[in-house]
Amino acid sequence: MVRYKATIAYDGTNFQGFQRQPNGRTVQEEIEKTLTRMKNGQAVQIHGSGRTDAGVHALGQVIHFDFDERPLEKMRFGLDTQTPEDIAVKQVEIVDEHFHARYLVREKTYQFRVDIGKPRSPFRRYYASYYPYPLDLMKIQQALPDLLGTHDFTSFCATGSSVEDKVRTIHQASMEVNEAGDELLFTFRGDGFLYKMIRIMVGTLLKIGNGRLPADSIPAIIAQKDRNAAGPTAHPEGLYLVRVAYE
């Protein structure tokens, strides 16, 4: 038996999230079913770098599992072709037995896509969150740097989180507009993110862009340590886990 680290991508549209649960289709369940078939019915458990919610996508989710040693491309191809079409296995490597996909994460990068076109694109409805209201993008650009650094992000954490330490460090918070001017791409890179934190940050930034919050309001929102101080939670379909980095 060796430990495998795999980088996977998935379309979250038809999943109730990454983590196995009693009711609803999940990424973890589908991959474990495939590995169990590949191991002739012997149960195999996988561990992910973290959860993603229902409707959230991944380009670079990382998992680990223990399995009999096989040629790497044979293992990758077997997993990739036997999992459902909305999961892709991009890379497989053998790692040290002490590697853990969740506990050794150094930083994560997420992106969030917002469709601001008029009319909305029917082809983006599962892959970008739609925002139909006026936006001053300069105000959003002005507000983004205030998210950088180490802060207690309690105001940007949804209720239902069991995590007590809500201090996180954000290294990158940026926004780009596509050439057509009808889609925003936010990028956030940090040492970790709280429950629905990125979706709340995006919802807050859009509220700033819409003029319903001042452009300089983020430091005060952070200081209040109160979820009610921040903006709404943006819809899940715009969120992508892009990259997980390790020590």
Side-chain angles (χ1 to χ4, degrees), residues 1-235:
M1 295 275 279
V2 295
R3 180 152 295 183
Y4 288 93
K5 171 190 173 189
T7 304
I8 63 171
Y10 47 86
D11 177 342
T13 305
N14 295 317
F15 288 111
Q16 291 301 306
F18 174 82
Q19 188 169 14
R20 175 188 283 276
Q21 49 187 274
N23 303 306
R25 179 172 180 260
T26 66
V27 178
Q28 180 179 10
E29 181 184 18
E30 292 291 358
I31 295 174
E32 287 179 350
K33 283 197 303 192
T34 301
L35 285 167
T36 298
R37 278 198 309 272
M38 291 169 66
K39 207 166 167 53
N40 299 318
Q42 190 176 335
V44 179
Q45 184 179 9
I46 69 168
H47 301 268
S49 71
R51 308 174 183 185
T52 53
D53 290 332
V56 175
H57 312 291
L59 303 175
Q61 170 71 286
V62 174
I63 63 171
H64 84 257
F65 57 90
D66 297 330
F67 204 91
D68 304 327
E69 187 167 1
R70 296 186 177 186
L72 288 176
E73 179 53 23
K74 186 176 180 183
M75 171 60 87
R76 189 207 66 80
F77 184 79
L79 252 183
D80 187 48
T81 53
Q82 293 182 58
T83 45
E85 290 182 337
D86 44 7
I87 298 174
V89 180
K90 299 168 71 172
Q91 183 183 15
V92 172
E93 55 189 298
I94 292 174
V95 288
D96 183 89
E97 63 179 6
H98 300 297
F99 174 83
H100 197 287
R102 179 181 172 193
Y103 298 132
L104 297 180
V105 172
R106 182 169 55 86
E107 65 176 36
K108 289 183 177 180
T109 303
Y110 283 89
Q111 290 184 327
F112 196 100
R113 295 182 177 274
V114 183
D115 178 2
I116 58 171
K118 293 179 180 57
R120 68 187 297 170
S121 167
F123 304 106
R124 289 184 185 146
R125 69 191 188 280
Y126 298 128
Y127 307 107
S129 179
Y130 184 58
Y131 193 81
Y133 308 108
L135 283 173
D136 182 337
L137 300 183
M138 289 302 295
K139 288 182 178 178
I140 296 176
Q141 294 285 16
Q142 184 184 334
L144 277 163
D146 289 333
L147 291 167
L148 296 174
T150 303
H151 307 284
D152 182 325
F153 282 100
T154 298
S155 295
F156 294 91
C157 181
T159 53
S161 171
S162 58
V163 177
E164 289 189 16
D165 181 9
K166 295 184 172 65
V167 175
R168 298 290 184 274
T169 301
I170 296 183
H171 304 297
Q172 178 184 357
S174 61
M175 181 190 71
E176 301 168 42
V177 188
N178 69 344
E179 201 171 326
D182 61 1
E183 186 177 90
L184 307 180
L185 178 66
F186 290 93
T187 302
F188 300 98
R189 180 171 57 84
D191 64 357
F193 296 91
L194 301 166
Y195 183 46
K196 297 186 179 176
M197 177 173 163
I198 290 169
R199 291 165 58 189
I200 297 169
M201 291 194 300
V202 171
T204 304
L205 290 164
L206 292 174
K207 196 170 181 178
I208 287 170
N210 187 236
R212 291 179 294 142
L213 278 175
D216 62 355
S217 60
I218 284 179
I221 293 171
I222 291 173
Q224 286 184 61
K225 299 180 186 176
D226 179 1
R227 170 66 189 96
N228 295 317
T233 306
H235 290 186

